[in-house]
Amino acid sequence: MTRLRLILSALLPFAIGYFMSYLLRAVNAVVAPDLVKDLNLSPGQLGFLTAAYLGAFALFQLPLGVLLDRYGPRKVQTALLTVAAAGCVGFAFAPNFAVLFIARAVVGLGFSAGLMASYKSTAMWVPVERRSLANTAVMSLGALGMVVASEPTEYLVGLIGWRGAFGVFAGAILVSAILVFAAAPRADTFVEPSPLRRQFDQMLSILRTPVFWRLAPLLGMTSGVQIGISTLWTGPWFRDVMGLSREEVARHLLWLAVAFMVGILSVGVIADRLGRRGISPMQVMLGAHLFYFAAQIVIVLRIASLALPAWLVVGALGQVAVLAYPWFEAHLGRDVAGRANAAINFTLFVCAFASQYLVGFIIGLFPASASGYSPEGYSWAIGIFLVAQFVAYGWYLAASPHKERSA
């Protein structure tokens, strides 16, 4: 397969699906004020509603890995994107909180292969030494979804309302499903898949490997928690801690989305180049986490003059865990790449779901401020998860032999 054909068929269609995934994952950060106003939601309810996406997403990761290895990314992604479109239609017409919650969960289920299908495609078609760059390239294009979920979505909602916006999203998702089905490579797998029961047994064996239990807590507590916070609570933080207007919040979210897009691609390029000098992607990831932790300390302390730069660093480095996926799948083999990646992703999104809800729960324990929620509540909520990240980072370093840390 030529490089151009590789990009246009094996990478770009799945990147567009991931673009839609991230758009719908992050959209509640912008429409949250409308949801709170229309349904009179508490912070905990808002967090629970938004986290329905992440919960359904996480629960389907383990069977998803089996489906990707058995049926291939093209068929699985097409089917699931259709489900996501149906969820958007349900969300647009939902009359109450219960239906909104179910529809949000259906959207999450439909996007559960958003990134994993692309990782399976790169595992099938991209040489192992270039997969970190390929994966981060897909993520950087997908990050445009976070860009669109900021100021452009605010503008769209202002024109046609949040319900109308979700109708537009449903149509766009269907178009992306058609693109994946038409353009992605037809090959499902390079080997005859083993019986379904054996595939599930292999998935469970992956979950029991020592390297999984060394790596998964670190990725879940760093990138998983960042997903949970950035796709809902960053916007309210800017409003309540910095005192920004709704338009200013949307603009700041736009800058964070750009930082994510530029940062994740830059990390991939850096890891690719350093890899030629014997420095592994895992070492790059561990080093980037130190800057990520420092930025969160600034946010927890609410240092106003450094707040925006700190959030930009969090946006740029929060998903640096992407570098660990090809490292982990290389340990287990290309034929189980879908299940290997899904096992890690399961951990990320369980942590994302839990953190998104628990941040709202913790904030709700503090008296409301004039603008919305208590600034102290944000510091406690984010600070608790930052301590958990320190513990997970120490656990990885202590539990991993040197040869695995530098592999």
Side-chain angles (χ1 to χ4, degrees), residues 104-130:
R104 177 77 177 168
V106 171
V107 172
L109 172 64
F111 282 126
S112 58
L115 190 58
M116 293 300 96
S118 69
Y119 283 4
K120 176 63 178 179
S121 184
T122 58
M124 293 174 66
W125 301 104
V126 179
V128 64
E129 66 274 10
R130 308 309 302 274

Side-chain angles (χ1 to χ4, degrees), residues 30-116:
V30 169
V31 303
D34 299 300
L35 298 176
V36 170
K37 178 182 177 181
D38 291 353
L39 290 96
N40 193 29
L41 303 181
S42 69
Q45 287 176 316
L46 177 62
F48 193 51
L49 171 63
T50 306
Y53 176 111
L54 301 175
F57 194 110
L59 289 175
F60 199 66
Q61 288 304 297
L62 300 185
L64 171 66
V66 173
L67 293 174
L68 286 172
D69 286 335
R70 187 172 184 85
Y71 299 108
R74 172 175 166 268
K75 293 177 181 177
V76 174
Q77 179 74 315
T78 300
L80 287 174
L81 286 176
T82 305
V83 172
C88 279
V89 172
F91 201 90
F93 289 97
N96 53 48
F97 175 82
V99 178
L100 277 175
F101 181 88
I102 294 171
R104 177 77 177 168
V106 171
V107 172
L109 172 64
F111 282 126
S112 58
L115 190 58
M116 293 300 96

Side-chain angles (χ1 to χ4, degrees), residues 116-155:
M116 293 300 96
S118 69
Y119 283 4
K120 176 63 178 179
S121 184
T122 58
M124 293 174 66
W125 301 104
V126 179
V128 64
E129 66 274 10
R130 308 309 302 274
R131 287 179 198 165
S132 291
L133 180 59
N135 287 348
T136 54
V138 169
M139 285 196 75
S140 67
L141 181 56
L144 283 173
M146 196 171 179
V147 173
V148 175
S150 57
E151 211 165 2
T153 294
E154 175 71 22
Y155 178 76

